[in-house]
Amino acid sequence: MPHFRSLGVNVPVVLCANKSDLSANVDTDRVVVEEMRPVMDEFKEIDSCIRTSAKEHHNINEVFFLCQKAVIDPIAPLFDSKESNLKPACVSALQRIFYLCDRDQDGYLSDKEIHDFEIKCFGKSMSDDDLKNIKQAVQKYSPNSVSEHGIDQDGFVLLNKIFAGKGRHETVWIILRTFYYTDSLSLRDSFLHPKFDVPPYTSAELSPVGYRFFVDLFLLFDKDNDGGLNSSELSALFAPTPGLPHSWLDSAFPSSTVRNEAGHITLQGWLAQWSMTTFFSPATTLAYLAYLGFNPPDPRASTTSALHLTKS
């Protein structure tokens, strides 16, 4: 293992103690505690350890399962074994997921938001006891991350760090893949850029559900209820995206749209900006619908349901 580290090799490792039949009288639990566990603690890149015997066909299927799991759900893109910490790209992805699941944008995942998150990712709700245990696990390492409001962003990231550090990185991968992340922790191209052709003599517009999404987004982030989005509110709104669309920057946004006396973007200006973007570049609108967490009414549909075509 030190040699692999010196070479900078970053591959999943399954530590296999073969020919266990030669030490049939050895207590397996003792071997795990005294031999395997110390090695795994020292070399975090080791995905798992197992004792096998080809002669007795002991744990043969299991070791291939562990190898398959190490490749399908690799720890390397998620976790820095030397630093015992999540890698920056993984942290960024989890922070975006937290943002999308924090439906009321109060900075916490409430019990209901956690239950909704569990159903979305794992297809079932979490029991009250499991939720209590999770909160206790987070509170153990970060007492301020859990309150009566729920679990904050740091606590959510910490929870996934605990999963990865304890060899439950398949749980982290299920979460990431549910939110359309690839193995390189980028968003799927088909998710950001679904097929949407605009034939000649037609143009793209926001559909009613598309308008509703942008209206709700505006109202959610207008925290001071002054009827306008100020710079800090805009920054918070675009947090899960790469930033303002390039076309907006080129047109000197926000001065290019309708603003109130304080210089804040009004709902009319906000919708006008997206209408213009959709007309000139529907691909840009589709990408930002994905970044911002648009959920189509039909789960089988894509972000294209937020747009429709009209004849010019």
Side-chain angles (χ1 to χ4, degrees), residues 149-302:
H149 303 293
I151 299 175
D152 68 8
Q153 185 183 88
D154 290 341
F156 178 73
V157 173
L158 172 62
L159 180 62
N160 284 276
K161 174 187 172 182
I162 293 172
F163 287 150
K166 291 188 174 181
R168 291 182 55 191
H169 40 281
E170 70 276 6
T171 300
V172 184
W173 275 119
I174 290 173
I175 294 169
L176 291 167
R177 287 166 180 154
T178 298
F179 285 86
Y180 303 100
Y181 282 92
T182 66
D183 288 355
S184 61
L185 296 181
S186 60
L187 287 169
R188 289 184 206 163
D189 189 67
S190 60
F191 173 60
L192 291 177
H193 307 291
K195 182 177 176 59
F196 186 80
D197 295 326
V198 181
Y201 309 110
T202 61
S203 59
E205 292 182 354
L206 290 173
S207 69
V209 294
Y211 271 113
R212 183 73 259 172
F213 173 75
F214 284 116
V215 169
D216 290 343
L217 206 59
F218 180 96
L219 297 175
L220 179 62
F221 283 89
D222 182 17
K223 295 295 185 182
D224 52 13
N225 295 314
D226 67 346
L229 295 178
N230 59 40
S231 57
S232 63
E233 290 167 341
L234 273 175
S235 296
L237 191 157
F238 281 98
T241 76
L244 293 176
H246 293 301
S247 60
W248 292 25
L249 296 173
D250 292 341
S251 63
F253 178 84
S255 61
S256 58
T257 193
V258 183
R259 296 179 293 169
N260 60 22
E261 294 179 356
H264 305 159
I265 302 156
T266 64
L267 178 59
Q268 180 186 2
W270 172 250
L271 294 176
Q273 191 72 23
W274 282 112
S275 295
M276 181 186 69
T277 302
T278 304
F279 181 82
F280 287 108
S281 179
T284 299
T285 299
L286 288 171
Y288 275 81
L289 284 164
Y291 285 129
L292 293 166
F294 170 75
N295 291 313
D298 183 350
R300 296 169 296 179
S302 70

Side-chain angles (χ1 to χ4, degrees), residues 17-309:
N18 197 18
K19 298 186 177 182
S20 62
D21 54 282
L22 298 180
S23 52
N25 297 325
V26 172
D27 182 1
T28 300
D29 291 338
R30 185 187 63 78
V31 172
V32 170
V33 172
E34 295 183 2
E35 299 179 19
M36 292 183 170
R37 178 55 62 186
V39 176
M40 291 187 72
D41 289 341
E42 182 178 357
F43 301 100
K44 300 293 186 181
E45 57 265 48
I46 295 177
D47 188 274
S48 53
C49 295
I50 190 171
R51 297 182 77 232
T52 65
S53 169
K55 179 179 179 181
E56 297 181 349
H57 302 285
H58 176 62
N59 280 344
I60 300 303
N61 290 337
E62 287 78 1
V63 74
F64 280 103
F65 169 77
L66 290 175
C67 291
Q68 183 183 45
K69 175 175 170 286
V71 173
I72 294 175
D73 300 317
I75 187 66
L78 308 179
F79 197 73
D80 188 322
S81 302
K82 293 181 181 179
E83 300 293 332
S84 295
N85 215 341
L86 293 174
K87 291 187 174 179
C90 182
V91 172
S92 295
L94 290 170
Q95 288 173 337
R96 176 177 172 273
I97 291 170
F98 177 92
Y99 167 99
L100 296 178
C101 295
D102 181 16
R103 304 302 296 178
D104 57 5
Q105 288 298 309
D106 67 345
Y108 293 90
L109 292 184
S110 66
D111 290 358
K112 183 183 184 309
E113 288 168 339
I114 292 174
H115 285 303
D116 292 343
F117 166 80
E118 286 287 317
I119 291 173
K120 181 179 179 69
C121 293
F122 305 102
K124 61 181 181 180
S125 183
M126 183 182 295
S127 70
D128 291 340
D129 287 341
D130 287 341
L131 180 56
K132 181 179 178 182
N133 291 336
I134 279 180
K135 288 182 178 180
Q136 288 176 344
V138 172
Q139 214 162 16
K140 178 180 178 182
Y141 297 99
S142 181
N144 295 329
S145 288
V146 179
S147 73
E148 61 181 10
H149 303 293
I151 299 175
D152 68 8
Q153 185 183 88
D154 290 341
F156 178 73
V157 173
L158 172 62
L159 180 62
N160 284 276
K161 174 187 172 182
I162 293 172
F163 287 150
K166 291 188 174 181
R168 291 182 55 191
H169 40 281
E170 70 276 6
T171 300
V172 184
W173 275 119
I174 290 173
I175 294 169
L176 291 167
R177 287 166 180 154
T178 298
F179 285 86
Y180 303 100
Y181 282 92
T182 66
D183 288 355
S184 61
L185 296 181
S186 60
L187 287 169
R188 289 184 206 163
D189 189 67
S190 60
F191 173 60
L192 291 177
H193 307 291
K195 182 177 176 59
F196 186 80
D197 295 326
V198 181
Y201 309 110
T202 61
S203 59
E205 292 182 354
L206 290 173
S207 69
V209 294
Y211 271 113
R212 183 73 259 172
F213 173 75
F214 284 116
V215 169
D216 290 343
L217 206 59
F218 180 96
L219 297 175
L220 179 62
F221 283 89
D222 182 17
K223 295 295 185 182
D224 52 13
N225 295 314
D226 67 346
L229 295 178
N230 59 40
S231 57
S232 63
E233 290 167 341
L234 273 175
S235 296
L237 191 157
F238 281 98
T241 76
L244 293 176
H246 293 301
S247 60
W248 292 25
L249 296 173
D250 292 341
S251 63
F253 178 84
S255 61
S256 58
T257 193
V258 183
R259 296 179 293 169
N260 60 22
E261 294 179 356
H264 305 159
I265 302 156
T266 64
L267 178 59
Q268 180 186 2
W270 172 250
L271 294 176
Q273 191 72 23
W274 282 112
S275 295
M276 181 186 69
T277 302
T278 304
F279 181 82
F280 287 108
S281 179
T284 299
T285 299
L286 288 171
Y288 275 81
L289 284 164
Y291 285 129
L292 293 166
F294 170 75
N295 291 313
D298 183 350
R300 296 169 296 179
S302 70
T303 51
T304 57
S305 63
L307 275 60
H308 65 192
L309 296 173

